[in-house]
Amino acid sequence: MILDSARAAAGHLFSAPFRGVFLKTLGLTLLALVALWFGLSQMFEWLAWPWLEALLPGLPGWAGWLGVIAAIVAGIGLALGLALLIAPVTAVVAGFFLDDVADLVERTEYPSDPPGRPVPVLTSLALSLKFLGIVIIGNLLALLLLLVPGVNIAAFFVVNGYLIGREFFEFAAMRFQPEADAKALRRRNAGTVFLAGLVIAAFMAVPLLNLLSSLFACAMMVHLHKAVAAREAAVSAGRRGLRQATG
């Protein structure tokens, strides 16, 4: 069930129907990253350079090289910071298109099923902010836990697998049922949802592919929710049939 959902989601990412959502997400992400680059550069010049001049007043002419070196170091630092911001920025941008992704998957793969209802704007925004927090925490854990023997990257996958799986499965389920019922469905299938979240966390850990992590997570959980709901419906129908037969 999990691998089938992952394969189906991966197949959607570069398909013609998804191309519009993908290009919008990528374009807005790049614009946001460029804006962040200029913003961070200006902040460095505003904060760091006056501090350097105050620390070393009356710099001789040769000391201008210090400014060059500082600019190079700042550039490297900004580039590393920007690399860490790619996934969070993509998560926020993609959050505006999650309903579009879910609708595309449902219409193309499940045309005979009733369509899902768009998640309310505030709920969708909250999901985007949650995923933003998850990605930031995951990136920080990836940096910090690399220094902890015996824990390392495993904690990154466990934490992110749980949080990502929970949020995106509930998003897919809430298109068809109230939030309380969606959470109950996720709890009844907690192991399956967690393992699916690990797959998404692995996808998110791959450079460049992490630009698509939100879209992949959404598409995968739409498929997984359909499979889980069908399984529960079959079990429920079997129990009703058994009760009728024994009654």
Side-chain angles (χ1 to χ4, degrees):
M1 185 188 300
I2 294 170
L3 293 180
D4 287 343
S5 298
R7 279 194 295 267
H12 287 305
L13 291 180
F14 300 103
S15 65
F18 271 68
R19 202 164 294 145
V21 177
F22 167 67
L23 291 176
K24 285 189 290 186
T25 302
L26 183 60
L28 289 174
T29 299
L30 292 176
L31 286 175
L33 290 173
V34 169
L36 278 172
W37 172 269
F38 282 108
L40 292 173
S41 299
Q42 292 300 316
M43 184 177 295
F44 173 80
E45 291 181 8
W46 178 55
L47 294 176
W49 188 247
W51 176 83
L52 183 62
E53 289 183 331
L55 183 67
L56 301 171
L59 291 175
W62 59 265
W65 285 101
L66 289 176
V68 175
I69 295 172
I72 293 172
V73 172
I76 294 172
L78 287 173
L80 292 174
L82 205 63
L84 291 176
L85 288 172
I86 287 175
V89 170
T90 306
V92 172
V93 172
F96 294 104
F97 304 109
L98 292 183
D99 270 310
D100 294 341
V101 173
D103 184 63
L104 281 170
V105 174
E106 291 164 6
R107 282 193 290 108
T108 56
E109 298 296 323
Y110 309 95
S112 60
D113 291 357
R117 300 181 306 275
V119 174
V121 174
L122 291 179
T123 304
S124 182
L125 178 61
L127 177 65
S128 299
L129 294 175
K130 282 183 180 180
F131 189 61
L132 170 64
I134 291 167
V135 173
I136 291 174
I137 292 170
N139 277 276
L140 291 176
L141 283 173
L143 289 174
L144 297 176
L145 295 176
L146 284 174
L147 306 175
V148 183
V151 178
N152 295 330
I153 208 67
F156 166 79
F157 284 103
V158 170
V159 171
N160 284 279
Y162 171 74
L163 293 174
I164 292 171
R166 183 187 69 185
E167 298 303 329
F168 277 90
F169 183 84
E170 290 180 3
F171 165 80
M174 281 190 293
R175 287 176 55 84
F176 295 91
Q177 54 195 293
E179 183 175 358
D181 294 339
K183 290 180 180 295
L185 179 64
R186 191 264 306 167
R187 285 192 292 267
R188 291 195 301 271
N189 297 274
T192 300
V193 173
F194 171 67
L195 291 175
L198 290 179
V199 174
I200 298 170
F203 188 95
M204 193 175 73
V206 180
L208 297 182
L209 276 183
N210 58 10
L211 288 169
L212 300 170
S213 54
S214 297
L215 305 183
F216 174 78
C218 181
M220 180 177 175
M221 286 306 186
V222 169
H223 283 291
L224 188 66
H225 169 256
K226 287 286 187 179
V228 167
R231 183 178 64 182
E232 288 212 345
V235 170
S236 178
R239 288 173 178 169
R240 284 198 303 269
L242 182 61
R243 284 197 299 268
Q244 291 173 358
T246 56

